[in-house]
């Protein structure tokens, strides 16, 4: 079965920035390190890159297996050959957010100014800061734009911030089980979770990295509280009911009587072995600060968005209810954004997007497969005015490494095309006049044409690229077989 395939053995890589990262609140983070993993292959035109954004306590290891690991990455259910995020089609990147403790610079990292861990001297970071760090990583990887950015929960907030901060950079966006702002109820849960950590006597105001004891109990309680919000009442009934743990009758004491109590206790204690308490404080605070509205209407705040979007809620999610996702979809429609809205029917609550679900797989696959020319086209247009000559055309091709150049008139309308092959005709005809050799019958496409339609046209006419024109016949971009390589079924 294709959904059982994996990307195999993977390895986390590290990018150390050679400059400081400016932060939203005005300070900066000194030359941070960003942990990331990649899956699949970047095509020649670099048009198939997808950024995966993780949730609160996630990491860069989204798929495949690390050496000697028994469990795959946290989103292996949808990443890999034949899966919705198909590594035969796409080049996938997942990075650990700054402020975390899974490879990227965070409170547990060494402060270059002091030579010891940052602790609470680590600057406050926001979702916008996390996205900026990801943008720096993509620049380092020389990714010119994103075919898609996708994430759930806090990852969904990053997705929305991407479409706002860099609207020209993102062609498609998939936001799952998230919101445009953190609600008072969510802030309240985060506050209680942080309080549990801060009241642990071993927290020591964030200075515990060289102590024998660390705030494990406080962090465990914080995780237990959070985990309750990730589940639904239905899923807890299905998984535990009111069953007792290793006994047939009540003990009438304060031990873990019920299975659900033991489950939460296990979740809390296991979490302390892989996460840093201070990082938990910083990341939950970043959630609190997230609000794209900033005293404006939601419709107005989402005005910059140009990406085609998929908004997906979960029917039993009471942490990020479907109402908040529906409000985003409605505001985007009012702004005439190409948006799709789907509700994932699941009884598993907020965490349903991390579980194997054929419905989610279908929705994501269908959204990504319905790509249009504007999702992958190049906006860098090289054209030549018809008043120029063949020598000008040859120089332009050589300087820009192009084999095809659209010819335009003074109104910038396309009237023909000249190819490298046509230049040889100029020698045979002994002419320097563009009109003597250019092809006047030009096959073109529009930015809203489907990828499959354009691919068929290229195959039919045995050409490797098409100028993209608007309704006024002006060239606004180009698309080649390299742009769409891997994105259509062979």
């Amino acid at each position: 079965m294709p959904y059982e395939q994996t990307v195999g053995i993977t390895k986390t890589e590290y990018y150390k920035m050679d400059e400081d990262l400016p932060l939203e609140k005005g300070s900066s983070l000194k030359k941070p390190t960003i942990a990331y993993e990649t899956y699949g292959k970047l095509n020649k035109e670099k048009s198939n890159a997808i950024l995966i954004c993780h949730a609160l306590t996630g990491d860069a290891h989204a798929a495949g297996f690390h050496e000697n690991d028994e469990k795959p990455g946290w989103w292996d259910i949808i990443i890999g050959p034949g899966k919705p995020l198909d590594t035969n089609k796409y080049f996938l990147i997942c990075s650990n957010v700054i402020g975390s403790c899974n490879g990227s610079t965070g409170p547990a990292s060494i402060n270059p100014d002091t030579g010891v861990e940052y602790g609470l001297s680590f600057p406050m970071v926001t979702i916008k800061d996390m996205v900026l760090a990801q943008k720096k990583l993509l620049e380092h990887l020389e990714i010119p734009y994103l075919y898609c950015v996708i994430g759930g929960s806090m990852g969904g907030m990053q997705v929305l911030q991407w479409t706002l901060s860099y609207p020209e950079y993102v062609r498609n966006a998939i936001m799952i089980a998230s919101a445009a702002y953190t609600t008072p109820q969510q802030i309240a849960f985060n506050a209680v979770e942080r309080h549990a950590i801060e009241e642990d006597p071993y927290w020591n105001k964030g200075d515990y990295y060289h102590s024998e004891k660390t705030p494990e109990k406080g962090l465990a309680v914080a995780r237990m509280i959070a985990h309750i919000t990730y589940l639904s009442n239905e899923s807890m009934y299905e998984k535990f009911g009111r069953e007792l743990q290793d006994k047939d009758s009540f003990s009438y004491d304060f031990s873990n009587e019920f299975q659900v109590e033991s489950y939460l206790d296990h979740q809390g204690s296991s979490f302390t072995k892989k996460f840093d308490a201070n990082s938990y404080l910083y990341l939950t605070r970043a959630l609190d600060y997230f609000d794209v509205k900033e005293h404006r209407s939601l419709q107005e705040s989402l005005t910059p968005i140009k990406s085609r979007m998929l908004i997906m809620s979960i029917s039993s999610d009471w942490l990020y209810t479907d109402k908040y996702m529906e409000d985003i979809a409605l505001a985007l429609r009012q702004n005439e954004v190409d948006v799709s809205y789907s509700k994932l029917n699941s009884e598993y609550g907020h965490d349903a997007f991390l579980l194997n679900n054929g419905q989610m797989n279908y929705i994501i696959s269908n959204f990504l497969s319905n790509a249009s020319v504007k999702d992958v086209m190049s906006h860098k247009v090289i054209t030549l005015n018809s008043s120029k000559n063949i020598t000008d055309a040859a120089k332009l091709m050589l300087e820009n490494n192009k084999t095809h150049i659209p010819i335009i008139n003074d109104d910038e309308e396309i009237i023909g095309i000249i190819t490298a092959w046509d230049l040889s005709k100029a020698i045979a005809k002994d002419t320097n006049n563009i009109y003597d050799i250019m092809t006047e019958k030009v096959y073109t496409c529009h930015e809203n044409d489907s990828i499959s339609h354009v691919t068929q046209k290229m195959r039919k006419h045995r050409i490797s690229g098409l100028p993209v024109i608007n309704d006024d016949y002006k060239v606004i971009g180009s698309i080649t077989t390299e742009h769409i390589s891997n994105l259509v079924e062979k």
Side-chain angles (χ1 to χ4, degrees):
M1 294 289 292
Y3 286 99
E4 295 174 352
Q5 296 181 32
T6 176
V7 297
I9 300 299
T10 61
K11 183 179 179 180
T12 304
E13 300 180 72
Y14 301 90
Y15 166 54
K16 181 174 176 56
M17 291 177 54
D18 56 9
E19 60 183 0
D20 295 347
L21 183 73
L23 301 176
E24 184 177 6
K25 77 181 190 74
S27 59
S28 63
L29 189 57
K30 289 201 170 181
K31 298 180 178 180
T33 295
I34 303 172
Y36 68 99
E37 291 189 10
T38 64
Y39 321 104
K41 184 179 180 181
L42 188 65
N43 63 16
K44 184 177 179 181
E45 293 290 337
K46 301 181 179 180
S47 62
N48 65 333
I50 294 181
L51 178 68
I52 301 164
C53 300
H54 68 72
L56 180 69
T57 58
D59 55 28
H61 182 44
F65 292 82
H66 284 171
E67 290 284 357
N68 302 318
D69 274 359
E70 295 182 1
K71 292 184 178 181
W74 57 269
W75 227 7
D76 195 74
I77 58 169
I78 70 166
I79 300 171
K83 297 179 184 180
L85 300 185
D86 192 342
T87 47
N88 290 328
K89 294 182 179 182
Y90 311 115
F91 177 66
L92 307 163
I93 309 122
C94 183
S95 69
N96 184 220
V97 299
I98 56 170
S100 186
C101 55
N102 290 309
S104 293
T105 299
S109 303
I110 300 300
N111 183 341
D113 289 338
T114 63
V116 297
E117 292 83 359
Y118 277 102
L120 294 193
S121 69
F122 190 78
M124 197 65 69
V125 294
T126 64
I127 301 295
K128 186 179 289 188
D129 296 329
M130 297 172 189
V131 168
L132 175 59
Q134 293 165 348
K135 180 67 161 53
K136 296 293 185 182
L137 171 64
L138 295 180
E139 290 172 358
H140 167 70
L141 296 175
E142 299 181 345
I143 305 295
Y145 63 87
L146 286 172
Y147 177 72
C148 184
V149 57
I150 179 173
S153 194
M154 190 183 83
M157 293 179 176
Q158 295 166 61
V159 168
L160 189 60
Q161 189 62 59
W162 261 103
T163 64
L164 291 168
S165 293
Y166 309 103
E168 301 289 349
Y169 196 84
V170 180
R171 304 295 165 85
N172 297 281
I174 302 176
M175 182 184 184
I176 308 171
S178 191
Y181 56 92
T182 302
T183 67
Q185 183 189 59
Q186 293 160 355
I187 293 172
F189 274 115
N190 292 339
V192 175
E193 292 163 28
R194 286 193 298 270
H195 194 64
I197 293 172
E198 293 166 346
E199 288 300 305
D200 189 308
Y202 297 114
W203 179 62
N204 194 30
K205 295 183 178 179
D207 184 14
Y208 53 81
Y209 293 109
H210 299 281
S211 303
E212 290 185 11
K213 298 285 189 177
T214 60
E216 291 185 4
K217 289 185 178 180
L219 181 58
V221 171
R223 182 61 173 180
M224 291 167 69
I225 297 168
H227 202 76
I228 295 171
T229 70
Y230 303 152
L231 305 175
S232 69
N233 191 41
E234 294 89 340
S235 65
M236 294 176 83
Y237 253 111
E238 180 181 327
K239 192 168 186 176
F240 311 108
R242 288 181 52 83
E243 296 299 316
L244 299 178
Q245 181 71 22
D246 300 326
K247 59 182 68 174
D248 297 322
S249 59
F250 294 152
S251 300
Y252 293 101
D253 58 23
F254 295 109
S255 63
N256 284 341
E257 293 264 63
F258 296 92
Q259 287 184 6
V260 67
E261 292 180 288
S262 295
Y263 170 77
L264 289 174
D265 193 49
H266 170 73
Q267 288 294 324
S269 60
S270 61
F271 182 69
T272 64
K273 297 177 175 61
K274 59 184 180 182
F275 212 81
D276 175 56
N278 283 338
S279 279
Y280 199 88
L281 298 179
Y282 276 86
L283 295 184
T284 54
R285 203 51 160 165
L287 288 178
D288 293 347
Y289 290 135
F290 186 70
D291 180 6
V292 302
K293 295 194 291 74
E294 296 178 341
H295 309 296
R296 299 170 294 173
S297 71
L298 185 57
Q299 180 184 352
E300 183 182 4
S301 67
L302 301 183
T303 300
I305 295 177
K306 298 181 179 180
S307 311
R308 175 171 163 263
M309 294 194 70
L310 169 62
I311 307 297
M312 189 187 305
S313 66
I314 299 170
S315 60
S316 56
D317 186 355
W318 60 274
L319 182 62
Y320 295 98
T321 67
D322 49 18
K323 177 188 181 302
Y324 297 109
M325 301 297 281
E326 289 169 0
D327 287 346
I328 295 172
L330 177 60
L332 290 171
R333 289 193 182 108
Q334 291 170 335
N335 289 339
E336 299 184 347
V337 172
D338 184 355
V339 58
S340 302
Y341 172 74
S342 294
K343 183 188 292 187
L344 181 64
N345 292 313
S346 172
E347 71 275 17
Y348 291 108
H350 181 66
D351 269 357
F353 75 94
L354 297 172
L355 305 174
N356 203 342
N357 186 292
Q359 184 186 172
M360 180 181 72
N361 294 347
Y362 173 79
I363 293 169
I364 293 174
S365 297
N366 189 55
F367 177 78
L368 290 176
S369 65
N370 289 331
S372 60
V373 168
K374 64 183 178 183
D375 295 326
V376 297
M377 64 181 269
S378 171
H379 291 276
K380 183 179 180 182
V381 186
I382 304 297
T383 60
L384 185 71
N385 189 277
S386 58
S387 63
K388 301 294 183 179
N389 57 40
I390 292 171
T391 302
D392 296 323
K395 288 181 179 178
L396 196 60
M397 284 186 186
L398 187 62
E399 291 170 357
N400 293 278
N401 193 29
K402 297 291 183 181
T403 58
H404 299 68
I405 296 180
I407 306 301
I408 60 173
N409 59 22
D410 290 338
D411 293 326
E412 297 184 353
E413 299 168 335
I414 187 169
I415 60 172
I417 195 166
I418 187 171
T419 70
W421 171 250
D422 292 327
L423 296 182
S424 62
K425 291 193 298 184
I427 298 174
K429 291 186 175 184
D430 191 22
T431 180
N432 202 30
N433 190 324
I434 286 288
Y435 286 95
D436 289 339
I437 64 167
M438 80 173 189
T439 301
E440 294 186 39
K441 184 179 181 181
V442 185
Y443 296 105
T444 62
C445 64
H446 291 80
E447 63 177 358
N448 290 321
D449 289 347
S450 70
I451 291 295
S452 58
H453 173 72
V454 169
T455 302
Q456 291 172 4
K457 181 183 285 191
M458 289 184 185
R459 288 172 179 168
K460 179 180 179 180
H461 299 289
R462 297 182 180 180
I463 51 180
S464 59
L466 293 172
V468 183
I469 62 172
N470 61 18
D471 292 337
D472 297 322
Y473 295 95
K474 294 182 179 180
V475 181
I476 60 174
S478 65
I479 185 168
T480 70
T481 53
E482 294 295 342
H483 282 118
I484 58 180
S485 63
N486 300 337
L487 297 185
V488 294
E489 299 295 339
K490 303 294 189 292

